[in-house]
Amino acid sequence: MSPRSQSELVDRHQDYRAKGEEQRSKASSQFFEKLGLLFLLGDSELHLIITTASNNLLSVHNGMNNFYNEPPFAARLEQVSSQNRVPPSAQLTFVDSVITCATGNPWGVSNAAMPYYLKMIRSFSPSEIAIMFSLVTGATVVGHRARNIPRCRKSFAQLTTFLSPTSVPTQARAAYDWWSKEAAGG
């Protein structure tokens, strides 16, 4: 697609938003997503798309029959996040949703959704890795589960094995080393 065509599409999309044409704006966003061109819409629009997909995933995770309902929501979040850089403003919501769902609850995890979670975790940026470790020490759902539920503690520790050691930032190195030992059994 030529730069001129891209520019015209973005102009039309922004015009829909400016006029408050919700249906057209939503359809336009989906069009950009299907073409893998969400990056053209800017960080604020990408923020909204990623945080909405993250919140929807977390909502399903906390709902009934979560193990059966999570996979399509995990797939959507993985698709959107793999096409684009997650804006810094959306990283906390994104990482929290992925890590909470991948750690699971006392009864387990959605096995069908795990490949999507692992793919996203493998691609975490250094800042997303730092957020991951801050979540487990904070007053968060995943933090509570990792500290108090043995199955979740083991699950979180296993997730650290999917991180690239070279991507772990200095401020998260001690936590990474500790959880890596935990994953190895002690």
Side-chain angles (χ1 to χ4, degrees):
M1 188 176 294
S2 73
R4 179 171 296 203
S5 297
Q6 289 178 1
S7 178
E8 289 172 7
L9 287 172
V10 171
D11 288 345
R12 187 171 302 148
H13 176 78
Q14 294 303 328
D15 191 43
Y16 295 149
R17 290 192 58 182
K19 290 179 180 175
E21 296 178 13
E22 289 296 317
Q23 295 282 48
R24 284 184 165 181
S25 177
K26 187 174 182 176
S28 179
S29 291
Q30 291 171 346
F31 177 75
F32 278 91
E33 185 178 333
K34 294 273 188 232
L35 293 178
L37 298 173
L38 284 174
F39 66 92
L40 291 174
L41 299 181
D43 277 357
S44 63
E45 186 118 7
L46 195 51
H47 169 96
L48 178 63
I49 291 167
I50 289 176
T51 57
T52 299
S54 297
N55 290 330
N56 289 343
L57 172 61
L58 204 51
S59 179
V60 168
H61 173 75
N62 291 323
M64 296 292 291
N65 297 318
N66 62 313
F67 296 151
Y68 303 105
N69 295 328
E70 276 180 45
F73 291 88
R76 166 128 169 74
L77 182 57
E78 188 278 324
Q79 177 192 21
V80 172
S81 65
S82 69
Q83 288 180 13
N84 307 281
R85 172 189 63 79
V86 176
S89 60
Q91 287 178 344
L92 177 62
T93 304
F94 169 68
V95 173
D96 183 39
S97 295
V98 172
I99 295 302
T100 300
C101 295
T103 299
N105 60 37
W107 301 277
V109 297
S110 173
N111 291 327
M114 278 308 287
Y116 302 111
Y117 300 142
L118 296 179
K119 190 172 180 186
M120 288 183 276
I121 291 166
R122 283 185 185 108
S123 68
F124 276 179
S125 68
S127 60
E128 291 165 341
I129 292 170
I131 292 168
M132 175 182 170
F133 288 110
S134 73
L135 289 171
V136 80
T137 59
T140 62
V141 171
V142 72
H144 172 77
R145 289 177 182 171
R147 289 188 305 272
N148 299 298
I149 302 168
R151 198 216 62 73
C152 294
R153 178 184 193 87
K154 182 178 180 180
S155 181
F156 182 85
Q158 282 302 119
L159 295 177
T160 65
T161 66
F162 293 95
L163 298 171
S164 169
T166 58
S167 294
V168 177
T170 304
Q171 74 265 31
R173 178 57 63 181
Y176 171 78
D177 291 342
W178 192 89
W179 283 103
S180 294
K181 286 181 187 174
E182 188 78 10

